[in-house]
Amino acid sequence: MDYNSFYQKSINAPEGFWQEQSNAIEWFQKPKNILSKNTDDYYHWFQDGKTNLSYLCIDKHIKDGYGEQNAIIYDSPVTDTKKFITFNELHQEVSKLAGGLQSLGLKKGDTCLIYMPMIPQAIYAMLACARLGVIHSVVFGGFAPHELAIRIDDCKPKAVITASHGIEIKRIIPYKPFVDQAMEESSFKPQNVILYNRDNAPLSVVKSYDIDYSELVKKSNPVEPVELNSTHPSYILYTSGTTGTPKGIIRDTGGYATALKFSMKYVYGVEEGERYWGASDVGWVVGHSYIVYAPLINRNTTILFEGKPIKTPDASTFWRVISEHQVSVMLTAPTAIRAIKKEDPHGDFIKKYDLSSLKYQFLAGERCDAATLKWTQDQLKVPVIDHWWQTESGWPMLANMAGVELLPIKSGSAGKPVCGYDIQVLDENGSPAAANTEGYIAVKLPLPPGTLLDIWENTQRFKKGYLERFPGYYFSGDGGYKDEDGYVFITGRVDDIINVAGHRLSTAEMEEIVSSHADVAECAVFGIHCDLKGQQPLGLVVLKTNHVHSMKDIQNQIVQNVRQEIGAVASFKNVLIVQRLPKTRSGKTLRKLLRNIADEHEYKIPSTIDDVLIIDEIKSVYQTHFIGIHNQNKLIN
Ligand code: COA
Ligand code: AMP
């Protein structure tokens, strides 16, 4: 098939295109109303269709005779466990857990928060919610109790599903005590905490709201999937915005299923029955879409990997998993490859494994640098495909559509627009930018199916954040340019969001925490280059003249405060004390300038700067401390 004509069809006649694609999934009621505009001039897909994600992921395949096919391979080097879970077994686990949730009063339209490590019960919990029409909100394990409490207060879950603990490289993550802390801190109190006790070890603290997961499943009856409107929210996934408060992206049901099914065939080039591995975490959008829903809808065996690219036990672990489980297509973040490359620069581990099952290696989550792309291509000898998308889109927006036509790969580009996405580079005034000219990446409405419905209980923020900047377009928050062949190059965020190891974080949120320290007069937090993680946050603080603690103590306390409030995932390790911050005459801190000086990019000193001398002061602070900070980037050994 040829990419250009397939893509143009999706843009010129979106309704016909997506109606055809919607036939690839099963509906309890087929949609007739394909595309509709709501009162906010935003579009919804398949309004009158009815389906259920849990049905599509499980029951349909059993009905079609694939009950004994493996649905999930759980591979956990951190616990030395491998488990093969068939669709029949998945059905048993999910339908009984759904019965348990129902017995606790959870029903269609309720919300349920899931805070779990990478264990099968995390997937069971998501699919059990989807079975009942309960809207789940999965929170990544690297977030601290305070972040959990913020999300509990925002989505008001009837129940929280968690596990006793998770296992990181160096330590045990005490999930249940974190949930207890969050329950204390939040104003809204969920009715129950359903606890999966991993080792059946007695808990030190049992709360009145605790329900034992295994007991609940044992005593409950299986339930059937509920018929849901296509536009019924399947989940809320919080992501960082430009303010201190995360935003709850809402996903629909039927549009999502259609888009995911489409993407498996045409973007990832995977056939039904093959093995697919999204090496991410269920707490991120990559995990929602490409560990859980897309592979299972497409009747692929999904790999659930509880480990890291290195140190579990070493940099060979990815290649062992691909070879042992015959993975056809894999998706990971460039950071993971950089970590492996650092430990095994010549690919000695790779040579020990038979990777002949692998057709494509996909990369996403952050910009892929040329060296990482080249190394991966040289080592794996399969097409290495960078592709770009976001929590908001739910599935790829730019890619090389491997299942349609594999186009030449251009280093530095995340490819061409995926079907359904009319991607434009706009200038300041919303006019298309010329080829090779950097601008704002926006997508002409309507977005294709599967993209965000709204922000949970905050339509104002949704409109302001995405739709108002360029009327008629969805604004992605990323900058970039298109070359003369239509390849798009993403250059990075144009707002205060940073990307650390493929994790999206808000510097505004970090600034709120840093500035709340009693000895801090003002501060700026921004992302600087990191060899391993792409970016890392750096805080510059100006102290109050009469500060109480020593500078060293203040630096340590600030680092601890961010870790405690946001979590270890923030990777916030560096605070520098400066005399003043560079500002415009109107008092705006020049963060971009601070970042550019730190990264030694060329920078222009804005004519609006209040006092040029500050630049020399900042440079001298950087010069004194940067060797230490950059060495830390290399601390992975
Ligand atoms: N639960 C609890 N804590 C977690 C966690 C989780 N699920 N994931 C990460 N953390 C913690 C880590 O233990 C670490 O804590 P520390 O400061 O005490 O060491 C901190 O959060 C930062 O984690 P991370 O950014 O992952 O760094 P790392 O040094 O532990 O590992 C890599 C480095 C490269 C191995 C790791 O970043 C990686 O695997 N990256 C791939 C990224 C990825 O898959 N992104 C998903 C988007 S597609
Ligand atoms: P998230 O919502 O956490 O998936 O993060 C989405 C953001 O990550 C995007 O807005 C981009 O800034 C960045 N991103 C994701 N994939 C890529 C990519 N392939 N190239 C460049 N940036 C990317």
Side-chain angles (χ1 to χ4, degrees):
M1 206 185 313
D2 123 80
Y3 160 78
N4 271 335
S5 55
F6 196 49
Y7 172 72
Q8 281 311 330
K9 203 169 140 194
S10 77
I11 300 301
N12 298 339
E15 285 189 69
F17 185 89
W18 289 110
Q19 180 166 30
E20 196 180 324
Q21 299 309 327
S22 73
N23 291 329
I25 64 158
E26 195 174 315
W27 298 85
F28 298 134
Q29 180 179 302
K30 261 196 188 286
K32 290 201 182 80
N33 183 358
I34 303 303
L35 181 63
S36 45
K37 230 182 201 185
N38 69 7
T39 45
D40 296 317
D41 270 355
Y42 190 64
Y43 296 84
H44 288 165
W45 288 93
F46 312 125
Q47 197 113 36
D48 56 348
K50 289 189 198 300
T51 187
N52 181 296
L53 290 174
S54 184
Y55 174 85
L56 295 175
C57 288
I58 311 170
D59 307 57
K60 178 181 186 303
H61 308 315
I62 297 174
K63 196 181 77 179
D64 292 346
Y66 296 100
E68 284 307 298
Q69 182 193 310
N70 284 325
I72 301 172
I73 297 178
Y74 167 55
D75 188 309
S76 169
V78 295
T79 56
D80 200 15
T81 311
K82 280 171 212 159
K83 204 168 172 219
F84 297 81
I85 301 151
T86 63
F87 281 108
N88 283 334
E89 287 162 340
L90 183 61
H91 180 265
Q92 168 87 355
E93 293 286 349
V94 170
S95 60
K96 291 193 74 178
L97 178 59
L101 296 179
Q102 203 174 50
S103 72
L104 296 173
L106 276 87
K107 56 179 187 322
K108 181 165 109 181
D110 287 341
T111 52
C112 177
L113 190 136
I114 299 172
Y115 184 59
M116 287 209 147
M118 288 285 285
I119 55 177
Q121 288 69 22
I123 299 186
Y124 304 159
M126 292 166 79
L127 292 173
C129 287
R131 204 165 181 83
L132 298 174
V134 169
I135 305 160
H136 62 65
S137 185
V138 183
V139 180
F140 175 63
F143 284 119
H146 174 67
E147 288 289 321
L148 265 179
I150 292 176
R151 287 155 174 78
I152 289 174
D153 278 331
D154 195 67
C155 74
K156 302 186 177 48
K158 209 172 225 178
V160 175
I161 307 181
T162 191
S164 47
H165 61 277
I167 301 155
E168 275 294 292
I169 294 177
K170 289 173 266 176
R171 62 208 159 90
I172 296 290
I173 310 293
Y175 277 70
K176 176 58 169 49
F178 281 2
V179 169
D180 288 339
Q181 273 181 53
M183 293 281 281
E184 243 165 64
E185 188 184 325
S186 63
S187 310
F188 180 84
K189 306 291 176 198
Q191 163 189 297
N192 292 114
V193 171
I194 302 162
L195 169 69
Y196 179 72
N197 193 350
R198 290 188 78 171
D199 297 336
N200 279 323
L203 287 183
S204 52
V205 183
V206 179
K207 301 277 188 180
S208 58
Y209 48 65
D210 285 345
I211 303 272
D212 185 88
Y213 176 108
S214 306
E215 288 296 316
L216 182 70
V217 171
K218 209 186 294 168
K219 69 174 191 217
S220 299
N221 294 320
V223 295
E224 292 299 312
V226 168
E227 282 193 16
L228 298 171
N229 287 336
S230 179
T231 52
H232 180 78
S234 54
Y235 64 78
I236 306 164
L237 181 54
Y238 286 89
T239 189
S240 301
T242 48
T243 69
T245 327
K247 43 193 182 185
I249 300 300
I250 310 178
R251 191 83 55 215
D252 75 351
T253 296
Y256 189 47
T258 302
L260 293 184
K261 176 82 185 161
F262 173 84
S263 70
M264 290 307 268
K265 178 169 173 154
Y266 293 111
V267 177
Y268 294 102
V270 225
E271 305 294 328
E272 291 174 357
E274 289 189 301
R275 280 143 185 224
Y276 182 93
W277 183 16
S280 178
D281 187 287
V282 288
W284 304 115
V285 68
V286 176
H288 280 64
S289 294
Y290 295 105
I291 294 175
V292 184
Y293 290 111
L296 293 178
I297 288 173
N298 201 44
R299 195 174 50 76
N300 295 119
T301 302
T302 185
I303 311 289
L304 180 70
F305 175 71
E306 188 182 25
K308 299 268 170 174
I310 53 172
K311 300 193 177 171
T312 58
D314 55 34
S316 74
T317 196
F318 271 22
W319 323 125
R320 185 217 18 107
V321 170
I322 292 173
S323 156
E324 196 171 318
H325 304 309
Q326 297 284 291
V327 170
S328 293
V329 175
M330 186 201 178
L331 157 56
T332 191
T335 300
I337 302 285
R338 287 194 293 269
I340 293 172
K341 180 180 155 200
K342 185 164 185 302
E343 307 248 318
D344 182 22
H346 306 296
D348 293 334
F349 281 128
I350 300 177
K351 295 182 189 93
K352 292 191 184 148
Y353 292 94
D354 173 7
L355 302 183
S356 56
S357 63
L358 192 68
K359 297 196 289 192
Y360 307 112
Q361 175 67 60
F362 279 83
L363 298 174
E366 57 181 310
R367 223 177 74 77
C368 180
D369 55 287
T372 302
L373 180 76
K374 168 109 183 32
W375 187 86
T376 319
Q377 286 170 328
D378 290 348
Q379 297 298 331
L380 298 183
K381 300 183 176 61
V382 294
V384 179
I385 301 176
D386 181 13
H387 64 323
W388 170 78
W389 51 297
Q390 312 176 296
T391 305
E392 289 84 345
S393 69
W395 65 288
M397 297 195 275
L398 286 174
N400 198 324
M401 297 187 67
V404 180
E405 178 193 3
L406 197 66
L407 301 171
I409 287 164
K410 282 200 190 185
S411 179
S413 167
K416 292 195 178 186
V418 168
C419 290
Y421 291 99
D422 185 353
I423 296 189
Q424 302 286 334
V425 181
L426 302 178
D427 68 14
E428 210 43 67
N429 306 315
S431 305
N436 295 311
T437 306
E438 200 167 330
Y440 301 93
I441 308 283
V443 190
K444 199 150 188 250
L445 298 178
L447 294 177
T451 49
L452 76 173
L453 267 189
D454 201 343
I455 290 181
W456 184 252
E457 295 190 337
N458 204 339
T459 301
Q460 271 310 94
R461 192 176 179 192
F462 165 70
K463 290 203 282 190
K464 193 161 178 289
Y466 301 112
L467 303 181
E468 284 176 7
R469 177 73 180 82
F470 299 111
Y473 290 86
Y474 161 83
F475 174 44
S476 69
D478 280 349
Y481 61 93
K482 231 185 227 186
D483 73 5
E484 47 292 312
D485 299 325
Y487 281 77
V488 181
F489 294 71
I490 302 292
T491 47
R493 299 289 306 189
V494 295
D495 51 22
D496 294 333
I497 289 171
I498 59 171
N499 195 313
V500 182
H503 306 141
R504 175 168 157 183
L505 300 164
S506 156
T507 53
E509 193 173 3
M510 293 186 211
E511 275 185 11
E512 273 181 20
I513 299 164
V514 176
S515 61
S516 67
H517 189 287
D519 284 334
V520 169
E522 60 176 336
C523 74
V525 177
F526 49 94
I528 60 170
H529 171 79
C530 171
D531 283 347
L532 176 69
K533 298 187 179 185
Q535 281 189 300
Q536 64 168 325
L538 172 68
L540 295 195
V541 301
V542 178
L543 297 183
K544 290 180 180 162
T545 32
N546 53 350
H547 57 89
V548 179
H549 299 94
S550 72
M551 290 192 186
K552 187 107 203 92
D553 283 352
I554 295 170
Q555 285 169 311
N556 289 337
Q557 286 159 4
I558 290 174
V559 167
Q560 277 317 311
N561 289 351
V562 174
R563 193 176 167 95
Q564 242 156 41
E565 297 272 296
I566 298 181
V569 66
S571 293
F572 183 85
K573 302 217 159 117
N574 296 297
V575 177
L576 298 181
I577 291 170
V578 293
Q579 296 303 313
R580 300 176 294 169
L581 290 169
K583 293 194 178 167
T584 59
R585 282 183 212 108
S586 60
K588 219 171 150 230
T589 304
L590 292 159
R591 288 181 181 75
K592 191 168 172 201
L593 177 67
L594 286 168
R595 191 181 69 216
N596 285 347
I597 304 173
D599 289 345
E600 295 172 58
H601 285 152
E602 273 185 31
Y603 55 89
K604 276 201 211 109
I605 299 176
S607 57
T608 51
I609 193 166
D610 183 30
D611 182 350
V612 180
L613 291 178
I614 299 180
I615 301 300
D616 291 329
E617 286 175 26
I618 300 279
K619 271 192 187 163
S620 112
V621 174
Y622 282 170
Q623 271 153 14
T624 320
H625 296 280
F626 260 34
I627 296 180
I629 292 179
H630 284 300
N631 278 344
Q632 262 180 30
N633 296 348
K634 301 184 168 69
L635 57 55
I636 204 76
N637 286 327

